[in-house]
């Protein structure tokens, strides 16, 4: 039987670096989810044998047969067992002489998977499909994203294999006795577990450098040129979080893919430099005065704290000690996110009501709500220059202080 797959390709071309997205991908692919794995798959690959194999999830897709490589190294691997009968010599480096480093994998929609059927494709065919997309843009001045066409690959039956021996470390599993000649068996196992297993993270990447292992997003790895025990020790010594944070910019929750995919260019696996995209608008706006919003917040907090201290009646603390302490803690604990500065209000000791009923029936203190919201607005909206903070936010601060003077705390 046949299976529908969609090529997923990340590559530079002759005259341009990596595009603002993939060179080819399914139209409905979650680009940020795929980028999370593709970028570290090609990182430092020149120090890891030049070829890696990967499988991973990407939104509604699973990516099978992923190959991250230096083109010349993949050609050497293929030629060990097969003659390459198509032109490839031209596609080894860009115009600056940098080696062609790329990723190609095959995205399969989860709902189109047939149990225990896997795509039947080898490195020769993988490389040929990659070149069929590369030649379309090879001599273009600027790389762009093509939406990959549906391919139908023959399938082969998969019979469940025992889990590879592994060493747990840092939230990952480090495979023992991985052999590059047996990569197919390893990626088959992990893909099958992702597709038809009972759950868990079965993403896999081969030939991971020990110093990169801790921050890799792949949950299952084979270390390059060291034992699993040594890899585990170096992961622990690195002190890096096990969750990979790609070198990207974010706008809200949406990933800026041009920054994700191109931010590695200046430190690409070949050690070369390249054109980096402009920073986001937020980064530009605060590049020369990024500390001014924090100065504005601290100044406002200091004024409020001083005003509360000078104008508070002597019996205020005695009448409402818990509320006064809570307000003070909100003012000084600016190191935490603003939303976290709002712990639940506790009922006054003199009140006999049930605590759960009190929380449901009593509204939040209006002064506290106003104080926190105003501080949050200053944080978000301060453009980053003293003039704008003093001008644009002055009226807000006046209202701010007037409300405090008229409140029950003063």
């Amino acid at each position: 039987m046949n299976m529908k797959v969609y090529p997923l390709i990340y590559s530079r071309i002759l005259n341009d670096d990596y595009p603002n997205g993939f060179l080819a991908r399914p139209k409905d692919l979650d680009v940020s989810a795929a980028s999370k794995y593709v970028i570290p798959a090609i990182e430092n690959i020149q120090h890891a044998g030049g070829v890696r194999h990967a499988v991973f999830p990407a939104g509604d897709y699973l990516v099978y047969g992923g190959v991250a490589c230096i083109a010349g190294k993949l050609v050497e691997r293929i030629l060990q067992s097969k003659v390459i009968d198509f032109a490839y010599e031209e596609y080894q480096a860009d115009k600056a002489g940098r080696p062609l480093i790329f990723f190609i994998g095959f995205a399969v929609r989860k709902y189109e998977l047939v149990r225990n059927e896997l795509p039947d494709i080898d490195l020769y065919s993988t490389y040929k499909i990659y070149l069929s997309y590369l030649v379309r843009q090879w001599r273009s001045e600027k790389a762009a994203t093509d939406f990959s066409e549906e391919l139908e690959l023959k399938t082969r039956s998969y019979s469940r294999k025992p889990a590879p021996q592994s060493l747990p470390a840092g939230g990952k599993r480090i495979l023992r006795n991985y052999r590059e000649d047996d990569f197919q068996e390893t990626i088959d196992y992990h893909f099958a577990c992702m597709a038809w297993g009972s759950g868990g993270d079965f993403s896999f990447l081969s030939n991971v450098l020990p110093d990169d292992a801790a921050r890799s997003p792949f949950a299952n790895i084979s270390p390059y040129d060291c034992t699993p025990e040594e890899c585990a020790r170096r992961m622990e010594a690195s002190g890096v979080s096990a969750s990979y944070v790609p070198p990207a910019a974010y706008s809200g929750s949406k990933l800026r893919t041009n920054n994700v995919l191109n931010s590695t260019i200046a430190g690409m696996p070949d050690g070369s430099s390249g054109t980096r995209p402009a920073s986001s608008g937020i980064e530009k706006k605060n590049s020369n005065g990024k500390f001014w919003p924090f100065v504005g917040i601290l100044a406002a907090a200091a004024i409020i704290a001083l005003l509360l201290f000078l104008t508070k009646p002597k019996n205020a603390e005695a009448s409402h000690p818990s509320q006064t302490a809570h307000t003070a803690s909100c003012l000084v604990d600016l190191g935490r996110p603003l939303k976290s500065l709002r712990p639940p209000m506790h009922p006054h000791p003199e009140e006999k009501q049930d605590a759960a009923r009190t929380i449901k029936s009593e509204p939040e203190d209006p002064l506290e709500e106003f104080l926190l919201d105003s501080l949050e607005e200053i944080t978000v909206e301060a453009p980053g220059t003293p003039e704008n903070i003093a001008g644009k936010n002055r009226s807000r601060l006046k209202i701010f202080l007037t409300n405090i003077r008229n409140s029950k705390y003063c």
Side-chain angles (χ1 to χ4, degrees):
M1 64 181 299
N2 292 336
M3 177 182 289
K4 296 176 183 178
V5 302
Y6 299 83
L8 176 64
I9 299 172
Y10 176 51
S11 176
R12 58 164 56 111
I13 61 176
L14 179 65
N15 299 309
D16 194 20
D17 269 311
Y18 302 88
N20 295 338
F22 289 90
L23 196 72
R25 64 172 176 84
K27 187 173 183 178
D28 59 345
L29 179 77
D30 184 335
V31 175
S32 60
S35 303
K36 170 186 172 182
Y37 292 99
V38 170
I39 297 300
I42 67 170
E43 270 187 331
N44 297 319
I45 199 167
Q46 82 280 15
H47 301 305
V51 179
R52 286 176 173 146
H53 302 281
V55 292
F56 55 86
D60 294 331
Y61 290 87
L62 297 181
V63 177
Y64 177 83
V67 179
C69 63
I70 301 172
K73 293 293 184 181
L74 181 61
V75 167
E76 291 176 9
R77 174 82 67 84
I78 296 171
L79 289 174
Q80 290 174 7
S81 59
K82 195 164 187 174
V83 174
I84 299 179
D85 56 2
F86 50 84
Y88 65 87
E89 294 84 354
E90 179 183 356
Y91 311 107
Q92 302 297 301
D94 68 3
K95 67 178 181 181
R98 296 177 298 182
L100 204 62
I101 296 173
F102 67 88
F103 173 90
I104 178 171
F106 299 94
V108 185
R109 286 194 176 97
K110 294 177 182 178
Y111 66 83
E112 293 181 343
L113 288 166
V114 177
R115 190 170 185 84
N116 295 330
E117 292 291 326
L118 298 177
D120 187 12
I121 188 164
D122 58 11
L123 292 179
Y124 169 89
S125 300
T126 297
Y127 185 46
K128 188 173 184 178
I129 292 170
Y130 161 72
L131 287 182
S132 71
Y133 278 89
L134 181 68
V135 296
R136 302 177 189 181
Q137 298 194 50
W138 179 244
R139 296 188 176 278
S140 300
E141 289 302 313
K142 187 170 180 60
T145 297
D146 284 339
F147 294 133
S148 52
E149 298 101 352
E150 172 189 300
L151 296 178
E152 287 206 354
L153 299 181
K154 289 183 178 180
T155 63
R156 52 187 170 81
S157 297
Y158 173 76
S159 57
R160 189 64 178 258
K161 301 292 193 302
Q165 294 184 357
S166 60
L167 172 69
K172 303 182 186 302
R173 302 199 71 85
I174 305 173
L175 270 61
R176 299 181 184 272
N177 305 320
Y178 171 82
R179 296 177 66 251
E180 198 67 15
D181 291 342
D182 300 329
F183 78 88
Q184 193 76 60
E185 181 177 323
T186 304
I187 64 172
D188 285 356
Y189 170 81
H190 288 91
F191 184 86
C193 288
M194 284 194 300
W196 306 296
S198 56
D201 189 345
F202 286 93
S203 57
F204 168 77
L205 181 66
S206 67
N207 297 330
V208 177
L209 296 173
D211 293 336
D212 294 339
R215 64 190 184 93
S216 172
F218 293 89
N220 303 270
I221 62 174
S222 72
Y224 180 77
D225 200 26
C226 78
T227 65
E229 290 76 14
E230 175 63 19
C231 182
R233 284 194 294 271
R234 291 170 70 171
M235 286 173 63
E236 183 179 355
S238 71
V240 177
S241 170
S243 59
Y244 181 78
V245 179
Y250 288 83
S251 176
S253 60
K254 185 178 180 182
L255 189 62
R256 294 179 182 268
T257 55
N258 59 331
N259 285 351
V260 176
L261 297 177
N262 285 315
S263 59
T264 57
I265 291 172
M268 280 305 297
D270 55 6
S272 61
S273 61
T275 304
R276 299 175 69 93
S279 299
S280 67
I282 295 174
E283 294 168 337
K284 287 181 180 179
K285 182 167 61 176
N286 291 329
S287 60
N288 296 323
K290 59 184 177 182
F291 296 111
W292 285 113
F294 300 101
V295 173
I297 295 169
L298 292 175
I303 293 171
I304 297 164
L306 180 61
L307 189 61
L308 288 173
F309 178 78
L310 294 177
T311 59
K312 180 184 64 176
K314 292 182 180 180
N315 62 347
E317 185 171 348
S319 60
H320 291 287
S322 61
Q323 286 188 327
T324 305
H326 167 62
T327 304
S329 70
C330 288
L331 292 173
V332 299
D333 196 0
L334 295 173
R336 302 192 342 237
L338 283 170
K339 293 297 183 185
S340 69
L341 297 179
R342 221 177 293 190
M345 294 291 290
H346 300 292
H348 192 272
E350 296 179 0
E351 296 174 348
K352 305 298 183 181
Q353 300 177 15
D354 178 76
R357 183 181 174 187
T358 303
I359 293 173
K360 291 181 181 179
S361 61
E362 290 187 1
E364 291 191 63
D365 183 81
L367 172 63
E368 178 182 270
E369 188 74 11
F370 182 84
L371 185 151
L372 291 169
D373 288 346
S374 297
L375 283 176
E376 186 170 351
E377 288 177 19
I378 294 171
T379 304
V380 173
E381 295 182 12
T385 63
E387 294 78 12
N388 284 340
I389 288 177
K392 185 175 181 179
N393 295 320
R394 185 170 296 156
S395 60
R396 182 185 294 115
L397 290 175
K398 284 182 179 179
I399 297 171
F400 199 175
L401 297 176
T402 301
N403 277 272
I404 291 176
R405 291 192 191 96
N406 296 334
S407 74
K408 62 183 177 182
Y409 292 113
C410 300

